[in-house]
Structure formats: structure tokens, C-alpha cells
Amino acid sequence: MKYSEFFIPTVKDAPSDAEIISHKLMIKAGMIKQSSAGIYSWLPLGLKALRKIEQIVREEQDNAGANEMLMPTIQSADLWIKSGRYDDYGKEMLRIKDRSGREMLFGPTNEELITDIFQSYVTSYKELPKNLYHIQWKFRDEVRPRFGVMRGREFLMKDNYSFDISEEEAKNSYNKMFKAYIKTFLRMGLTPISLRAETGPIGGNLSHEFQILANTGESTLYYDKELERLNPEKLDPDNLQSYYAAVDDQHDENNCSVKKEDLKISKGIEVGHIFYFGTKYSEKLNAYVQDQNGKKIPVHMGSYGIGVSRLVGALIEANHDEKGIKWPKSVAPFTLSIVNLMPDDQNCNTKSLEYYSYFMSNNIDTLYDERICSIGKKLSDNDLIGTPIQIIIGKRDLSAGVVEFKDRMLNKSKKIKIEEVKKVILEKINS
Ligand code: ATP
Ligand code: MG
């Protein structure tokens, strides 16, 4: 993509109501624009980041055997009346009447709808287990929408729902998701900490929250340092669930099972939450199947959520500096920026275009900055939008046979020979 053809409306100053760094940077980098409280338009750069994150979430769900589908944003109130949550959900639910006066709502979550879909088709234990997910916009009329996309009213969530014949099988499904979550966050370059959590209005008795470490996070986490040592190839959910971890209001120094020297205290942001709630919804919404003995029993269910749009903010909270965002490679809107400092110089142009077409043909998401503007603005814009790998092409460097290579994550630059650029960059991207 040529920078001049891409819509990146960067701005100098963030609005005064942007309190936290990710909110400020998303506005300064031209990623989002608020449309009303807690509701945002995703501008092209923001959408690119959102899509990359969504894709990792999707791949790890697929790897874990979940099936993607898509449920509507607008639901009828009927099922919610049956489950008893139409009243319980209170003011967070956005209620709508259609033209014939029927009560509708903008879905804050999908337990009711999915249970109804499941019960319409599945009648026997032979068809279990099943695990269905979608990635869809949710609406919750939060009392205090704040921190940009971290606590919006409209937000993108991946939610899935597992259906099993028994509690034991359901715990299997739960652990599969537990593992998929850790893998998902690790692939984004984050450190996830899993904590035992309250189940709240969803109900049930088993639940874990996933927080990612970020110095600017809202919660304070107390946990066994072993929880930071995660090997994606050897994840054992039962083992991980046995370590001590608590948020500040649950942490009790006198009742903490971990030795003082092994206890870590860090700031975190909640990005995912999983629940096993047994037969709470299946009983109310009639999701029964025949078991091995021909007896009709309610299915055991779990639900699992990842805040996809919140992750955009959380990733920035975990990766930034005074110049802007430092995207991890796996989720960066652009993997590579080619910054042509002298677009009116023949040599700079020819070399930049050669690299641009080479990396594009290697399927690398490349931003070619060929804008006619000051050198300072070019460098600061590319740092602000946080492209992890940058090659900076200037007239003097070229005549010395080199270009500048910048690693944005480490904030380190070095000169590399022009004939080595392609190899060095490809190696860096694939490392
Ligand atoms: P919270 O305690 O932050 O309100 P929750 O317990 O209501 O979260 P869940 O219903 O478990 O959240 O939703 C699953 C995930 O969706 C959360 O872990 C979070 O990442 C995300 N999420 C929830 N509410 C919002 C929101 N208002 N804006 C953005 N993301 C959200
Ligand atoms: Mg909430």
C-alpha cells in the first residue's frame, strides 16, 4: 500500500477526554474515531489491526476444533424471557421495539440464542461434543464507557459455546478452550495470566479470567511466577489452574499458597473469560439429548469470550513508548514500512520501488511511504503507527551503498548493505 493512497488521518493531539495511553495513541495514529460515547468507527489502519487480531483468535479456535458461524446482532426478547435474563440484565441491555411493537434487543452475549439453535437440531449424545463460535459485535450499555475501545458500548467479541453429555466431558471442552486461549495470547506476543474468577450473572461454578500483563493495566495481579513460564507446545491446563493467582480484592496475604519469593505482582488487563455453567441454560431452553440409555438429559454447557476489540487497546498498552505504538509482528497492521526520505530523487525512488514490489510479491504487508512531506514527519508518523520493521532510504546512504534498518520494538537502527536488504528483512520477518 502506498502511504499517499491510504487513509491514515494522524493527529498531533489526542482529545482531553482520552485518559489512557492506548486511547490517545489510537486517535493520534488515525485508527478510530468516536461516533458517540463508547461507539467507534474503525478507520482503515485500526481495522487492519482488528482483523489481524481477529484472525489469530479464529485460527486458534479452529485448531481447537470449534466451528465458526455467525449469529445476528439483533435478537428477539422471547428467549431471554424464557431464560430469566431479560429482567436480570437490567440497563446494560439495549432494548428495541420493531415496527409491530415486538420486543427486540441488541445482543450483549449469545447463550440463549445458541442454546436454542442447538436444541433445534441435536437430539442424541452421539452428536456430542459440539463447540460453536462466532466473532460478532455486541452491545452493552455500560454505565461508564471509557478508555476508548477497552470499555466500549459496542465492541467486537469472539464468543463460543460448548455442549457435552456430562460434567466430565464438559471440563474437557473447558480445558481445550483454556489451552486455546493461552496459545492465542502468546501468538500476539502477550503474557497471559489465568485466574480463577467469579461467575457472576452467567451462573455456574467454574470460571477463569485471562489477563495480559501491561504496566498500565487496571487490575493488580498476584500470582505464582510459574504462570509466566508458558511453553505453547506443553500447556497443561490442570497444572496451570493449580497455581496461585488473584486480583487485588481477592488476594489475601495470610491465605496465599505461594512462597513470598515466588509471588509476582504486576498490572493486568482482562481480555478473556471462560465459564462452565452446567445445565443452567439447557434446562430452561429445553436443550435435552438422549444419553446411552435412552434417557433424556440436559446438555452441559460452557461459554468462552475474548474481547477482540479490547485486545487492540490492550496490545497497545503492553507495547508502546513516547513515540507511539510498537506492534508485535503478528498483529501489526503493516509488517514493514519503506520510508523514502527523498521521493523527488531518482535513485531513492527506483530503489524504494524495487524493494516495495519485492516485499509485496512475498506477501508482506508493506506500507510504502512516498509522501512529499518533511523527513521529520515521515519518521515520526511511521513510529507513531508502530510498524515493527522499517527501512529508511536516503540519498546519502544510497550513494554509500546502504539503507537504514530500524527495529521499532527494540528501537534500534543500523545500516545494511543494499544488496543484503531483501535477505535481512525476510529473515527478520520470519524469525
Ligand atoms: P468486565 O468485567 O470487564 O465488564 P465481563 O465479565 O462483563 O467483563 P464477559 O461477559 O466475560 O466480560 O466478556 C468477555 C470479554 O469481552 C471480556 O473478557 C472482555 O475482554 C470483553 N468485554 C467485555 N465488556 C467489554 C466492553 N464493554 N468493551 C470491550 N470489551 C469488553
Ligand atoms: Mg461487563
Side-chain angles (χ1 to χ4, degrees):
M1 181 67 67
K2 289 186 176 163
Y3 202 125
S4 65
E5 292 170 2
F6 198 59
F7 183 62
I8 313 182
T10 56
V11 291
K12 262 226 154 79
D13 299 304
S16 54
D17 64 339
E19 295 169 52
I20 61 165
I21 189 72
S22 60
H23 189 192
K24 287 184 184 148
L25 287 175
M26 286 182 78
I27 290 173
K28 284 171 78 172
M31 294 175 69
I32 50 167
K33 182 177 188 320
Q34 182 173 306
S35 119
S36 55
I39 303 178
Y40 292 87
S41 295
W42 290 78
L43 305 179
L45 190 72
L47 183 63
K48 263 176 95 65
L50 187 69
R51 290 279 182 257
K52 295 238 166 140
I53 291 165
E54 181 184 330
Q55 187 54 25
I56 291 181
V57 170
R58 173 177 290 118
E59 285 170 15
E60 290 306 324
Q61 287 299 307
D62 294 346
N63 287 342
N67 300 169
E68 187 168 11
M69 60 181 294
L70 188 59
M71 287 176 269
T73 52
I74 307 290
Q75 306 179 21
S76 150
D78 298 350
L79 294 170
W80 289 76
I81 293 168
K82 264 196 204 164
S83 76
R85 283 209 293 180
Y86 196 52
D87 290 330
D88 292 353
Y89 225 95
K91 288 192 162 173
E92 265 198 24
M93 182 185 272
L94 179 66
R95 295 152 207 263
I96 308 163
K97 272 205 170 98
D98 72 7
R99 64 199 294 165
S100 357
R102 268 188 291 263
E103 290 183 57
M104 314 290 284
L105 56 99
F106 196 119
T109 178
N110 283 63
E111 281 82 7
E112 282 77 359
L113 195 53
I114 194 79
T115 309
D116 185 58
I117 292 171
F118 175 89
Q119 69 83 31
S120 312
Y121 301 104
V122 182
T123 52
S124 160
Y125 74 96
K126 289 180 193 152
E127 294 162 78
L128 298 182
K130 284 280 174 287
N131 190 331
L132 299 164
Y133 77 99
H134 74 162
I135 302 175
Q136 177 65 292
W137 294 91
K138 307 289 186 290
F139 195 95
R140 293 182 187 173
D141 206 350
E142 301 272 354
V143 204
R144 217 155 77 79
R146 60 188 188 281
F147 306 150
V149 299
M150 299 257 272
R151 184 167 299 282
R153 292 199 295 167
E154 189 183 45
F155 59 97
L156 188 61
M157 196 208 282
K158 183 284 301 169
D159 41 323
N160 54 329
Y161 305 89
S162 62
F163 302 89
D164 284 280
I165 191 70
S166 63
E167 177 165 352
E168 197 190 343
E169 292 281 316
K171 287 201 172 143
N172 246 338
S173 299
Y174 185 91
N175 278 354
K176 256 193 198 167
M177 279 300 123
F178 190 99
K179 223 162 134 170
Y181 272 39
I182 300 236
K183 283 191 175 170
T184 302
F185 303 129
L186 286 176
R187 274 183 67 184
M188 295 176 191
L190 297 165
T191 308
I193 300 294
S194 48
L195 306 101
R196 187 77 189 224
E198 303 288 324
T199 49
I202 296 217
N205 54 23
L206 177 62
S207 172
H208 283 88
E209 227 173 71
F210 292 82
Q211 299 244 2
I212 56 101
L213 298 184
N215 290 333
T216 47
E218 261 202 303
S219 351
T220 307
L221 315 177
Y222 298 78
Y223 57 92
D224 192 316
K225 68 177 197 300
E226 281 302 309
L227 284 174
E228 272 187 18
R229 302 191 4 186
L230 294 160
N231 175 351
E233 307 306 321
K234 290 189 193 142
L235 293 171
D236 177 352
D238 285 320
N239 182 39
L240 287 170
Q241 288 165 23
S242 69
Y243 288 108
Y244 182 82
V247 285
D248 35 8
D249 55 349
Q250 296 168 345
H251 176 63
D252 176 359
E253 223 171 282
N254 305 318
N255 250 326
C256 160
S257 58
V258 58
K259 279 187 266 160
K260 214 168 191 162
E261 61 270 27
D262 293 336
L263 185 73
K264 284 203 84 170
I265 307 173
S266 309
K267 293 281 180 188
I269 300 169
E270 184 200 318
V271 289
H273 203 163
I274 63 177
F275 302 86
Y276 162 65
F277 45 72
T279 58
K280 176 175 168 179
Y281 295 92
S282 46
E283 281 180 44
K284 288 191 169 129
L285 295 164
N286 204 25
Y288 283 71
V289 295
Q290 266 186 350
D291 71 4
Q292 291 88 329
N293 308 316
K295 196 176 143 215
K296 277 197 145 190
I297 58 161
V299 288
H300 288 253
M301 291 178 59
S303 77
Y304 314 85
I306 290 183
V308 177
S309 50
R310 178 179 287 183
L311 268 168
V312 182
L315 274 154
I316 297 173
E317 292 293 331
N319 301 286
H320 66 268
D321 63 10
E322 68 290 346
K323 294 181 196 158
I325 305 167
K326 303 206 287 188
W327 288 112
K329 265 183 309 185
S330 59
V331 289
F334 290 101
T335 313
L336 173 69
S337 278
I338 298 172
V339 186
N340 181 353
L341 297 181
M342 298 255 162
D344 41 17
D345 178 81
Q346 181 74 46
N347 283 343
C348 286
N349 264 343
T350 312
K351 206 72 212 163
S352 301
L353 278 170
E354 179 196 324
Y355 292 145
Y356 178 51
S357 62
Y358 175 79
F359 291 116
M360 289 298 278
S361 66
N362 275 278
N363 291 321
I364 288 158
D365 230 329
T366 306
L367 182 64
Y368 174 31
D369 191 352
E370 31 60 282
R371 289 175 299 166
I372 313 274
C373 66
S374 78
I375 289 179
K377 178 158 173 61
K378 283 199 177 191
L379 296 174
S380 62
D381 276 349
N382 282 282
D383 281 349
L384 171 64
I385 67 171
T387 311
I389 300 165
Q390 303 177 20
I391 41 181
I392 298 157
I393 295 169
K395 199 171 163 180
R396 212 176 310 144
D397 273 353
L398 273 193
S399 37
V402 295
V403 302
E404 188 179 328
F405 163 89
K406 188 195 268 182
D407 182 324
R408 176 75 181 100
M409 198 50 119
L410 304 172
N411 252 332
K412 281 202 173 132
S413 293
K414 63 178 180 195
K415 307 279 181 189
I416 46 178
K417 292 196 187 119
I418 46 179
E419 28 337 322
E420 285 174 3
V421 168
K422 295 175 185 167
K423 190 176 127 247
V424 171
I425 299 286
L426 284 188
E427 273 171 12
K428 181 76 194 168
I429 289 173
N430 297 320
S431 70

